[in-house]
Amino acid sequence: MGLLDILQEAIGSDNGGAHVDQITQHASPDAIGAGLAAAMRSDQTPAFGDMVGRLFGQSSPMQQAGVLNQILATLGPAAASMLAGGVLGRMLQPGQTQLTPEQASQLSPTQVTEIAAHAEEQHAGVIDEVSRFYAQHSGLVKTLGGAVLAIALAKMKENATRG
């Protein structure tokens, strides 16, 4: 069964999350990231910041640091440190450009929701970068829920039929 067949089956089912592992075995991280980015931009899904906060709450400290460091890398430490009342800036030591898992785990999902929402306002490309990060963590993608997965899968199928 090829990727298009798997995507078609997943889109046609009531539980797209059950197919995520199978899809990630057949699709490239870029294809998964593009599907996630489309879902995160959609007006049919929760706001980008809300989805990132939710994913952050389900993540390990290493994954939490990874997504926050992705945001830092996209915006630059100076700009990112001013987000959400400067919470990241207060965590970073002078000269430090990345958060450790221990530092990241001190943040709440609500704070990360705010950070992600402000990051999107500063640089719309942060959605693509965060989506690429989460494309590598299929277990977390499943937690996004049916509507988000349906849009991501439909976008992946659309892109696959064009390519």
Side-chain angles (χ1 to χ4, degrees):
M1 183 181 284
L3 178 60
L4 280 175
D5 298 322
I6 296 166
L7 288 168
Q8 185 61 45
E9 187 177 305
I11 291 168
S13 83
D14 290 337
N15 184 8
H19 297 278
V20 170
D21 290 330
Q22 195 176 15
I23 290 166
T24 58
Q25 291 173 2
H26 289 85
S28 72
D30 286 344
I32 297 166
L36 285 174
M40 289 187 172
R41 285 188 173 95
S42 174
D43 59 3
Q44 299 171 359
T45 61
F48 170 71
D50 292 337
M51 286 190 275
V52 174
R54 182 173 174 187
L55 288 164
F56 182 86
Q58 302 290 322
S59 298
S60 71
M62 187 71 97
Q63 292 164 330
Q64 291 173 337
V67 74
L68 289 170
N69 288 330
Q70 193 66 58
I71 291 170
L72 283 167
T74 302
L75 298 182
S81 68
M82 298 187 318
L83 298 175
V87 69
L88 290 178
R90 290 189 297 276
M91 296 183 95
L92 292 171
Q93 303 299 316
Q96 183 183 6
T97 59
Q98 293 200 329
L99 292 170
T100 66
E102 294 76 28
Q103 289 171 315
S105 67
Q106 294 172 25
L107 293 171
S108 71
T110 302
Q111 288 172 305
V112 174
T113 296
E114 237 180 281
I115 290 167
H118 288 137
E120 179 188 15
E121 290 171 10
Q122 299 297 313
H123 190 299
V126 76
I127 294 173
D128 296 313
E129 298 304 321
V130 167
S131 295
R132 276 194 273 283
F133 173 81
Y134 281 122
Q136 299 169 30
H137 302 281
S138 64
L140 292 173
V141 171
K142 292 181 206 178
T143 69
L144 285 173
V148 175
L149 287 175
I151 291 169
L153 294 172
K155 185 64 174 178
M156 287 176 66
K157 182 180 178 211
E158 177 186 320
N159 289 343
T161 56
R162 271 194 262 148

